[in-house]
């Protein structure tokens, strides 16, 4: 029967494996067919897009060539060529001619009024591509910005126009032509998006010296199975990913068909095997009884193979799988939504200084404000600060080093506006005044930096290196106000201001304090128990929800805190994962102290500025509760079905057990020595009738079997006693080192202590501990640590050979040696020999003394007049061990003897 049961179990396992393997193979074939269909459609549309981009580049190139041939007279060729371009390509939104960095010609004018006269030097979102174009003298395609006309993402094709280099060594740049098309319309024209496309699309751009950034669609598509494609442009390479719109969905009907066929084949094979193994046929020599209609095994197998438990279990598994998938999808969706919201809000935050800098640069350029009207300038700055609470500083550094600013303290509870002013030359102190409600100076807030020179500040230097509005890196405010209200780091945009002759007049800045982002992230994460941080591409923190500082002042120098070195453990772990991945966007699951987080990070490319990383991690427990409730309901449903099944099984058991009751009563009588007459048993189960006849024959053998059983019990009892004796020996030994364990040590110490006090002979105890063993385990691993413990144990066994001596593992890396009959001086000598042998092993230990494994030993002798001498002995030896550790380790320390009959002794050397 056991062999038959093994065959049945093996057959069921093979059937399940065959069904799962077939279903997985069919699923992979189905997914391959879907991806092949997407690839066929996608590649054709990519070819169309590639040709479309080349055609637009060629149109713009021809216009640039025509204008290059007419220096100073570009208006005529532009007016004659541009209308023909829009007729050839009606999807062109605008065509412009730019002289240097200012737009002079626009076609068509209707609908493009916002770009007439636009100065790119005040539009940092466009300057990165323009600078690349001028530097490399190649056309560029800009798809990373929103169009000024529509606010939608557009493609801008730019072609530079150069004259011959002048005698002064200039680059000869005269201007450029640019034509604009809507990105979505271009993709729709190529068939890459729209209802007829069978896939979702994502596009990202890779450029020289810049991490990849998204142009269109969900960048998460690149992390899923997708069809890739690449379009090479003069200045960049576009990477495209296509994912089936319905995902790689698998037809459930096919899965159920495979499962049904597999279950049917498995059941047929099972029945054949059972028949061939004689489940339904009598075995040779078996008594044939005609009263039974079927065998008991047959009925039990039919009940076991009933489909109800299988279907209930399968339904529960499916519901569980669907619930887990739904939770994961919900979790991913929530994390993505929150990450996108955080990203948008941070982008809006950095839009504040860009907008303010652009506005004030325009004011200076139009002559509405100027350095000659300082009070009007300050009043304008203060009004803007009141209207925009996120702004921290609006300032101007003059060419002679002077400084004039309006600001709002970012630290502390006081948010009243301030005027900050320093004289020229860098030798004047920074004066700070409070401002009343009428934007006039009121009271002094003290004197700040005594030698403030605007010309050496990072924002001033960044503006001098560019001819346009430019982001400057995060820097530490050098205001040094008495209350420390400006003790923070800031970031913003600056632009050089020049007079009509082109001479530098000063540098304008718009600045925001980074602590404001930290406060925003902390407020957002407190509600959802998550973590978030903003960092530069190099990993330096700009803000975090943990509240820890993002920099430290050391000797007047600023040391930035990296994300993977944060004081917040979760931020430190996530920062390390991002740094290790080397990707600017991604998602991962984290686990910290038993708590799981779902993390997502993505990049923020500031216009013509640095690449930032915004990261978010949410605890998965936020989403586990709905799944647990659903699974609890499913569990209750399954439990209910099983209860019904158990009830049915009980009813069947009762019906089958009625004929067995009379046999049970007869068996009880046989056990008590009666039951001479067999009962008349009628049952539809053949085995029950056979059992009744067999019991009658077995009654005669009962007594002889009982005698044999008593003999066997006696033999087994003796074997059990011997086995218990061996187990006692094993229970007193440490499994790793082979030394006595703590239990054996305590028993021997108590016994030898009583004997020593009774016989008035000395007894000593050694307590040994491996030096810096935790560091050894941390660096070399616990298996290597176990080898060290075994080597020390071998030395102890070789050193302790007298009858009555005992070496034991006291716990962890600590050992103990009981030395009956030895006084403290002899024990100290033995301890020194053991210490020297361990040091002579020369086991490498990077954190150990002299770079090797050593031990420290404490020695103590038992006070024979102390009733609790054995217990006190351990404490004294342990105290000596502590002194050995405190005294430098790798040494032997002896406990001072307690007062005896002849007075106290001097402590051992």
């Amino acid at each position: 029967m056991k062999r038959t049961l093994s065959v049945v179990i093996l057959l069921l396992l093979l059937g399940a494996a065959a069904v799962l393997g077939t279903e997985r193979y069919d699923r992979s074939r189905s997914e391959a067919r879907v991806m092949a269909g997407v690839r066929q459609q996608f590649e054709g549309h990519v070819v169309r897009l590639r040709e479309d981009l080349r055609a637009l580049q060629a149109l713009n190139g021809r216009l640039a060539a025509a204008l290059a041939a007419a220096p100073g007279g570009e208006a005529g060729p532009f007016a004659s060529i541009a209308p023909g371009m829009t007729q050839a390509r009606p999807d062109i939104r605008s065509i412009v001619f730019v002289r240097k960095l200012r737009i002079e010609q626009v076609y068509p004018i209707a609908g493009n009024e916002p770009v007439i006269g636009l100065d790119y030097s005040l539009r940092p979102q466009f300057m990165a591509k323009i600078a690349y174009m001028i530097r490399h003298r190649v056309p560029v395609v800009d798809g990373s910005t929103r169009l000024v006309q529509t606010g939608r993402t557009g493609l801008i094709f730019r072609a530079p126009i150069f004259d011959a280099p002048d005698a002064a060594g200039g680059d000869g740049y005269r201007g450029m032509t640019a034509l604009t098309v809507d990105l979505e319309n271009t993709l729709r024209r190529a068939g890459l998006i729209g209802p007829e496309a069978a896939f979702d699309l994502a596009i990202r751009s890779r450029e020289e010296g810049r991490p990849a950034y998204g142009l269109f669609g969900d960048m998460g598509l690149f992390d899923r199975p997708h069809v890739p494609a690449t379009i090479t442009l003069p200045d960049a390479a576009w990477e495209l990913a296509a994912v089936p719109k319905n995902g790689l969905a698998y037809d459930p009907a096919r899965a159920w068909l495979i499962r049904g066929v597999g279950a049917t084949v498995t059941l047929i094979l099972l029945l054949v095997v059972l028949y061939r193994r004689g489940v339904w046929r009598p075995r040779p020599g078996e008594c044939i009884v005609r009263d039974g209609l079927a065998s008991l095994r047959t009925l039990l197998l039919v009940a076991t193979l009933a489909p109800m438990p299988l279907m209930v279990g399968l339904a529960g598994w499916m519901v569980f799988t669907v619930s887990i998938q739904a939770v994961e999808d919900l979790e991913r969706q929530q994390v993505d939504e929150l990450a996108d919201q955080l990203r948008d809000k941070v982008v809006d935050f950095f839009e504040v200084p860009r907008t303010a800098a652009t506005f004030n640069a325009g004011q200076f350029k139009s002559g509405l404000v100027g350095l000659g009207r300082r009070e009007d300038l300050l009043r304008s700055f203060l009004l803007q600060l009141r209207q925009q609470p996120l702004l921290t500083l609006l300032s101007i550094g003059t060419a002679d080093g002077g400084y004039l600013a309006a600001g709002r303290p970012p630290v502390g509870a006081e948010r009243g506006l301030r005027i900050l002013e320093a004289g020229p030359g860098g030798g004047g102190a920074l004066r700070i005044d409070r401002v009343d409600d009428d934007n006039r100076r009121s009271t002094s807030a003290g004197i700040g930096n005594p030698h403030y020179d605007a010309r050496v500040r990072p924002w001033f230097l960044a503006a001098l290196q560019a001819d346009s509005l430019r982001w400057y890196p995060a820097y530490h405010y050098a205001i040094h106000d008495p209350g420390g209200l400006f003790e923070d780091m800031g970031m913003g945009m600056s632009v050089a201001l020049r007079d009509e002759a082109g001479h530098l007049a000063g540098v304008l800045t718009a600045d925001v304090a980074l602590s404001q982002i930290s406060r925003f992230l902390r407020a957002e994460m407190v509600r959802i128990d998550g973590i978030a941080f903003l960092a530069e591409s190099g990993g330096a923190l700009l803000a975090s929800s943990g509240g820890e500082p993002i920099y430290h002042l050391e000797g007047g120098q600023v040391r930035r805190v990296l994300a993977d070195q944060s004081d917040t453990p979760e931020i430190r772990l996530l920062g390390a994962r991002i740094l290790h991945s080397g990707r600017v966007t991604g998602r991962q699951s984290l686990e910290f102290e038993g708590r799981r987080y779902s993390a997502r990070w993505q990049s923020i490319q500031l216009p013509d500025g640095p690449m930032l990383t915004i990261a978010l991690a949410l605890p998965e427990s936020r989403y586990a509760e709905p799944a647990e409730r659903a699974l609890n309901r499913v569990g209750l449903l399954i439990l209910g079905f099983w209860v019904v099944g158990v009830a049915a099984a009980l009813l069947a058991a009762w019906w089958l057990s009625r004929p067995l009751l009379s046999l049970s009563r007869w068996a009880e009588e046989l056990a008590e020595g009666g039951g001479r007459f067999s009962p008349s048993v009628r049952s539809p189960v053949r085995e029950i009738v056979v059992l009744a006849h067999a019991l009658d024959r077995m009654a005669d053998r009962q007594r002889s079997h009982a005698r044999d059983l008593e003999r066997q019990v006696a033999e087994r009892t003796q074997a059990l006693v011997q086995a218990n004796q061996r187990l006692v020996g094993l229970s007193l030994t440490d499994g790793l080192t082979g030394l006595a364990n703590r239990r054996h040590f305590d028993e021997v110490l108590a016994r030898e202590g009583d004997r020593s006090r009774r016989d008035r002979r000395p007894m000593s105890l050694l307590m040994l501990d491996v030096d810096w063993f935790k560091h050894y385990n941390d660096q070399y691993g616990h298996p290597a640590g176990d080898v060290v413990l075994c080597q020390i144990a071998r030395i102890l066994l070789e050193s302790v050979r007298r009858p009555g001596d005992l070496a034991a593992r006291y716990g962890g890396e600590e050992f103990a040696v009981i030395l009956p009959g030895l006084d403290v001086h002899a024990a100290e000598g033995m301890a020194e020999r053991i210490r020297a042998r361990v040091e002579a092993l020369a086991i490498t230990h990077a954190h150990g003394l002299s770079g090797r494994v050593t031990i420290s030993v404490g020695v103590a002798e038992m006070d024979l007049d102390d009733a609790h001498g054995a217990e006190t002995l351990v404490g004294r030896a342990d105290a000596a061990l502590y002194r050995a550790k405190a005294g430098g380790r790798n040494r032997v320390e002896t406990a001072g003897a307690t007062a005896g009959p002849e007075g106290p002794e001097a402590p051992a050397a």
Side-chain angles (χ1 to χ4, degrees):
M1 184 62 184
K2 292 183 178 178
R3 183 174 297 176
T4 301
L5 183 59
S6 300
V7 172
V8 170
I9 294 175
L10 179 60
L11 186 59
L12 290 174
L13 292 176
L14 290 176
V19 170
L20 292 176
T22 304
E23 183 179 342
R24 181 178 292 274
Y25 173 75
D26 188 66
R27 184 187 297 271
S28 64
R29 290 291 302 274
S30 175
E31 292 175 353
R33 286 193 298 270
V34 172
M35 293 298 286
V38 169
R39 180 176 287 105
Q40 182 178 4
Q41 184 188 41
F42 178 61
E43 289 177 349
H45 294 319
V46 170
V47 171
R48 191 180 307 169
L49 176 62
R50 187 180 291 115
E51 294 174 350
D52 206 20
L53 295 178
R54 288 175 180 171
L56 290 169
Q57 290 181 58
L59 279 175
N60 193 43
R62 286 195 293 270
L63 175 61
L67 299 186
E74 295 88 354
F78 182 87
S80 61
I81 297 176
M85 294 172 62
T86 57
Q87 290 177 3
R89 289 295 300 263
D91 58 321
I92 294 179
R93 184 70 176 78
S94 66
I95 304 171
V96 302
F97 166 66
V98 181
R99 188 178 300 280
K100 293 296 185 179
L101 296 176
R102 185 180 180 87
I103 294 179
E104 285 194 355
Q105 302 288 331
V106 179
Y107 184 87
I109 295 177
N112 293 306
E113 292 85 353
V115 302
I116 297 176
L118 186 144
D119 188 346
Y120 282 121
S121 66
L122 300 180
R123 301 283 180 165
Q125 65 268 35
F126 299 108
M127 283 304 299
K129 283 284 189 177
I130 294 175
Y132 182 92
M133 176 191 69
I134 297 173
R135 185 168 61 254
H136 295 275
R137 294 174 172 257
V138 296
V140 295
V141 180
D142 192 350
S144 62
T145 59
R146 296 185 179 275
L147 300 180
V148 176
Q149 305 97 309
T150 63
R152 292 163 57 88
T153 302
L155 287 178
I156 306 176
F157 295 82
R158 305 185 191 276
I161 300 174
F162 288 93
D163 294 326
D166 55 26
D171 55 15
Y173 172 70
R174 189 202 310 171
M176 61 180 161
T177 60
L179 65 83
T180 303
V181 294
D182 187 276
L183 176 60
E184 290 191 17
N185 290 340
T186 303
L187 297 177
R188 188 172 289 107
R189 175 188 175 94
L192 288 169
I193 60 174
E196 69 281 357
F199 49 82
D200 292 322
L201 177 70
I203 306 175
R204 64 187 179 190
S205 177
R206 290 192 179 275
E207 302 172 6
E208 178 185 349
R210 181 179 180 183
Y213 61 91
L215 292 179
F216 180 83
D218 180 11
M219 295 302 103
L221 298 185
F222 286 95
D223 298 327
R224 295 163 54 185
H226 64 277
V227 179
T230 302
I231 296 178
T232 302
L233 300 173
D235 62 317
W238 284 7
E239 297 177 350
L240 293 81
V243 175
K245 278 190 175 179
N246 297 324
L248 297 176
Y250 182 58
D251 187 1
R254 295 181 62 87
W256 280 109
L257 177 61
I258 294 173
R259 295 167 189 168
V261 172
T264 302
V265 173
T266 303
L267 181 59
I268 293 174
L269 292 176
L270 184 61
L271 294 176
V272 171
V273 169
L274 293 175
Y275 178 78
R276 292 180 63 85
R277 299 191 71 86
V279 173
W280 289 286
R281 295 181 288 119
R283 295 176 181 173
E286 186 177 20
C287 178
I288 301 177
V289 181
R290 301 297 180 185
D291 293 340
L293 299 179
S295 69
L296 179 60
R297 282 180 295 178
T298 302
L299 296 176
L300 291 177
L301 284 174
V302 170
T304 303
L305 296 175
M308 186 271 295
L310 178 61
M311 294 183 65
V312 171
L314 183 61
W317 175 79
M318 291 183 62
V319 172
F320 174 80
T321 303
V322 171
S323 299
I324 293 300
Q325 184 63 44
V327 169
E328 291 178 354
D329 292 343
L330 175 63
E331 175 187 332
R332 186 179 298 110
Q333 179 183 356
Q334 291 290 326
V335 171
D336 288 347
E337 289 180 358
L338 286 172
D340 291 340
Q341 292 174 10
L342 279 182
R343 184 183 185 280
D344 291 342
K345 290 181 179 178
V346 171
V347 169
D348 292 342
F349 181 88
F350 283 107
E351 185 68 13
V352 170
R354 191 196 69 80
T355 303
T358 302
F359 171 78
N360 285 286
Q363 293 282 89
F364 270 91
K365 194 169 185 179
S366 63
L368 296 177
V369 293
L371 292 174
R373 292 171 289 172
R374 301 172 70 88
E375 292 304 318
D376 292 342
L377 179 61
L378 279 175
R379 189 175 298 108
S380 175
F381 283 173
L382 291 169
L383 287 173
Q384 294 176 62
L385 285 169
R386 294 188 187 279
Q387 294 172 0
Q388 182 47 265
L390 294 180
L391 274 175
T392 302
L393 288 170
L394 283 173
S395 62
I396 285 185
T398 60
D400 56 7
Y403 184 67
L404 182 66
R408 176 185 291 106
V411 180
E414 187 176 353
R415 290 292 183 268
L417 300 184
R418 302 286 194 272
I419 293 176
L420 301 89
E421 189 172 3
L430 186 64
R431 185 162 58 92
I432 306 172
D433 295 322
R434 295 183 178 87
V435 177
D436 61 19
D437 193 56
D438 292 330
N439 297 322
R440 294 177 301 185
R441 302 176 192 266
S442 58
T443 60
S444 172
I447 301 297
N449 191 332
H451 304 288
Y452 192 90
D453 189 346
R455 294 170 297 186
V456 300
R457 303 304 298 149
W459 46 266
F460 197 99
L461 299 176
L464 295 184
Q465 295 173 1
D467 292 330
S468 60
L469 193 63
R470 177 63 61 90
W471 288 95
Y472 48 84
Y475 73 104
H476 176 250
Y477 293 141
I479 296 176
H480 306 329
D481 59 302
L485 301 182
F486 286 89
E487 184 58 41
D488 201 347
M489 293 191 71
M491 189 173 175
M493 301 197 77
S494 60
V495 61
L497 303 176
R498 300 184 182 275
D499 57 23
E500 296 180 355
H503 300 128
L504 179 69
V507 172
L508 169 72
T509 72
D511 193 285
V512 289
L514 297 178
S515 61
Q516 297 184 88
I517 307 180
S518 293
R519 286 194 291 269
F520 160 71
L521 294 179
R522 187 158 53 248
E524 291 292 319
M525 292 301 103
V526 164
R527 300 183 295 104
I528 55 178
D529 196 24
I531 60 170
F533 67 84
L534 181 69
E536 296 176 339
S537 57
L541 281 176
L542 294 176
S544 79
S545 61
E548 71 273 15
I550 63 173
Y551 69 96
H552 297 288
L553 285 177
E554 297 177 352
Q557 299 296 319
V558 176
R559 181 176 64 84
R560 302 290 301 279
V561 176
L562 301 179
D564 58 347
Q565 299 173 0
S566 169
D567 295 337
T568 301
E570 294 88 344
I571 293 179
R572 185 166 62 247
L573 176 60
L574 180 53
R577 292 285 183 88
I578 295 174
L579 181 64
H580 179 72
S581 71
R583 299 164 57 189
V584 296
T585 181
R587 56 162 51 87
Q588 279 192 4
S589 292
L590 309 175
E591 184 169 354
F592 179 77
E593 294 184 351
R595 194 177 190 190
R596 292 185 61 82
Y597 291 85
S598 181
R600 170 82 187 278
W601 69 90
Q602 51 190 322
S603 63
I604 299 176
Q605 177 64 59
L606 297 182
D608 198 23
M611 175 81 75
L612 309 180
T613 298
I614 180 74
L616 167 70
L618 298 181
E620 294 184 356
S621 58
R622 284 171 46 86
Y623 315 100
E625 294 182 0
E628 291 178 358
R629 288 195 296 268
L631 292 178
N632 287 337
R633 295 192 188 99
V634 173
L636 292 175
L637 181 62
I638 295 176
L639 180 61
F641 276 105
W642 277 111
V643 168
V644 173
V646 170
L650 290 176
L651 182 61
W654 172 80
W655 178 69
L656 292 173
S657 65
R658 284 187 302 171
L660 293 176
L661 290 177
S662 58
L663 290 178
S664 177
R665 287 192 292 268
W666 182 39
E668 290 178 357
E669 293 175 1
L670 286 176
E672 294 174 359
R676 295 185 178 181
F677 302 99
S678 60
S680 176
V681 177
R682 293 185 177 274
S683 172
V685 182
R686 186 173 60 207
E687 281 80 357
I688 294 179
V689 179
V690 173
L691 178 62
H693 292 287
L695 284 176
D696 194 17
R697 295 194 301 271
M698 289 172 58
D700 296 334
R701 296 180 171 180
Q702 183 176 2
R703 291 183 179 84
S704 62
H705 289 170
R707 288 193 297 270
D708 292 341
L709 182 61
E710 290 175 356
R711 177 178 53 80
Q712 294 176 5
V713 168
E715 293 174 355
R716 298 294 188 273
T717 301
Q718 180 64 26
L720 183 61
V721 170
Q722 296 174 357
N724 285 336
Q725 291 174 351
R726 290 194 297 271
L727 287 174
V728 169
L730 291 175
S731 68
L732 300 178
T733 304
D734 178 61
L736 175 64
T737 61
L739 301 177
N741 60 16
R742 178 67 179 272
R743 173 185 173 187
H744 193 189
F745 169 83
D746 292 338
E747 294 174 355
V748 172
L749 181 65
R751 183 175 66 247
E752 292 299 330
D754 293 339
R755 181 180 292 132
S756 295
R757 288 197 305 107
R758 184 173 61 251
D759 298 339
R760 306 298 294 175
R761 65 176 187 149
M763 184 178 77
S764 298
L765 177 66
L766 310 183
M767 296 293 287
L768 305 89
D769 188 86
V770 184
D771 297 330
W772 304 114
F773 191 68
K774 182 179 183 303
H775 294 304
Y776 188 92
N777 274 341
D778 291 342
Q779 179 157 358
Y780 301 98
H782 289 276
D786 292 344
V787 171
V788 171
L789 296 178
C790 291
Q791 290 180 290
I792 295 175
R794 178 174 55 80
I795 291 176
L796 294 179
L797 289 174
E798 293 172 356
S799 302
V800 179
R801 297 184 176 180
R802 298 185 314 140
D805 292 352
L806 180 71
R809 187 180 180 186
Y810 194 76
E813 69 271 20
E814 195 169 3
F815 300 86
V817 179
I818 301 174
L819 300 173
L822 283 189
D823 60 12
V824 69
H825 301 292
E828 183 178 7
M830 178 176 287
E832 181 59 31
R833 288 192 295 274
I834 292 173
R835 183 205 63 77
R837 289 193 62 185
V838 171
E839 185 177 15
L841 290 175
I843 301 172
T844 302
H845 187 353
H847 299 280
L849 298 177
S850 302
R852 61 181 62 182
V853 172
T854 59
I855 62 172
S856 299
V857 188
V859 184
E861 181 179 351
M862 187 180 74
D863 184 3
L864 300 179
D865 296 323
D866 185 1
H868 303 285
E871 300 173 4
T872 307
L873 180 60
V874 174
R876 296 173 58 224
D878 194 65
L881 172 60
Y882 177 79
R883 290 200 305 275
K885 291 284 187 181
R889 293 179 170 79
N890 191 23
R891 60 190 297 164
V892 176
E893 283 289 339
T894 304
T898 59
E902 299 177 3
E905 299 177 0

